[in-house]
Amino acid sequence: MNGEPNHTSSRSVRAEYFWALAAFAGLCLAMFGDLIFASDGTVISYRLSDGSQYFTRMRAFGFRELAAGNIPLWNPHIYSGTPFVGGFQSAMFYPFNAIYLVFSVGRAMNIDVAFHVMLTGFFMFAWARGRGLRWDASFLSGVLLAFGGACFTRVMAGHITMLQALCWAPLVMLSIDQIFKKPRIEWVLIGVFATTMQVLAGHPQSLFMTGLLA
């Protein structure tokens, strides 16, 4: 009997996080769905910005080589050649970039953007809930971060590695808060995982800024 309220509370918490994630997924589908399912190669980026002019080419080269069984340490197509894997923004070992092995570059990049905008909102929601805000206030916090100037201007600019790295910052902050409340190995591992994702995403500046905030 004593365990029943906790069990019910746990289910309620899982449900509210599930509905928040579903809501952010719905918002991202409403915002990006036409481009996610487009077949003409259009990418979510201004046509003269980093997304369409730089990252599409990086992802096409890097993951074409990886699909052929080569780790592209060197890019021979720029000047007399430049480091590729060591150039950070190649993000060859960021696990979510595996989608570039499955889909065309245009579709993969659109999924990439939508997925990380969704994560930004959801992780901000989780951090706000962890700090005691109500569900609606926490959800609004996530919407304001994911679709506000701090994040959404990066979508148009095509700053894909920045989107990938910064989305993990709220999860890092949440893990720190929870460790101070009640130290548990689970939150340490979550913080380590989120920080590792920032390292692999290929935008060291975002990692540095998160470190300063932490």
Side-chain angles (χ1 to χ4, degrees), residues 19 45 130 141-142 185 193 197-198:
W19 287 115
S45 171
S141 298
I185 188 63
F193 173 76
M197 291 300 100
Q198 285 198 308

Side-chain angles (χ1 to χ4, degrees), residues 170-184:
L171 188 58
V172 173
M173 298 305 116
L174 172 62
S175 67
I176 292 172
D177 281 352
Q178 295 302 316
I179 289 167
F180 273 107
K181 285 181 182 178
K182 185 178 181 181
R184 293 174 56 188

Side-chain angles (χ1 to χ4, degrees), residues 139-151:
F139 185 75
L140 180 60
S141 298
V143 170
L144 290 175
L145 178 61
F147 296 97
C151 174

Side-chain angles (χ1 to χ4, degrees), residues 5-205:
N6 289 335
H7 181 65
T8 302
S9 176
S10 178
R11 283 191 299 181
S12 175
V13 168
R14 286 197 297 269
E16 72 176 31
Y17 278 84
F18 170 80
W19 287 115
L21 182 59
F24 282 112
L27 286 175
C28 288
L29 279 174
M31 184 67 69
F32 305 118
D34 58 333
L35 292 174
I36 290 175
F37 299 108
S39 58
D40 61 356
T42 303
V43 298
I44 302 172
S45 171
Y46 178 58
R47 64 185 180 85
L48 297 178
S49 65
D50 288 358
S52 55
Q53 296 296 310
Y54 179 60
F55 285 110
T56 52
R57 290 152 174 79
M58 286 188 69
R59 296 294 188 260
F61 168 73
F63 288 93
R64 182 175 65 243
E65 290 295 307
L66 196 63
N70 305 317
I71 296 178
L73 302 178
W74 192 254
N75 180 1
H77 302 295
I78 298 178
Y79 302 117
S80 296
T82 59
F84 190 75
V85 168
F88 286 109
Q89 294 202 88
S90 64
M92 292 299 298
F93 304 119
Y94 183 64
F96 295 98
N97 281 345
I99 60 172
Y100 290 91
L101 294 171
V102 179
F103 300 103
S104 64
V105 171
R107 179 162 294 175
M109 185 166 288
N110 294 340
I111 295 171
D112 195 349
V113 169
F115 178 69
H116 285 90
V117 170
M118 180 191 74
L119 286 186
T120 300
F122 178 68
F123 289 152
M124 186 64 218
F125 165 85
W127 184 23
R129 284 296 284 159
R131 296 188 70 85
L133 273 69
R134 296 185 329 195
W135 193 97
D136 53 350
S138 300
F139 185 75
L140 180 60
S141 298
V143 170
L144 290 175
L145 178 61
F147 296 97
C151 174
F152 210 73
T153 53
R154 306 298 176 183
V155 173
M156 189 67 171
H159 296 164
I160 189 67
T161 53
M162 187 178 289
L163 287 171
Q164 290 177 330
L166 281 178
C167 80
W168 299 99
L171 188 58
V172 173
M173 298 305 116
L174 172 62
S175 67
I176 292 172
D177 281 352
Q178 295 302 316
I179 289 167
F180 273 107
K181 285 181 182 178
K182 185 178 181 181
R184 293 174 56 188
I185 188 63
E186 293 92 337
W187 284 111
V188 173
L189 293 176
I190 289 171
V192 168
F193 173 76
T195 304
T196 302
M197 291 300 100
Q198 285 198 308
V199 172
L200 296 177
H203 196 258
Q205 302 94 315

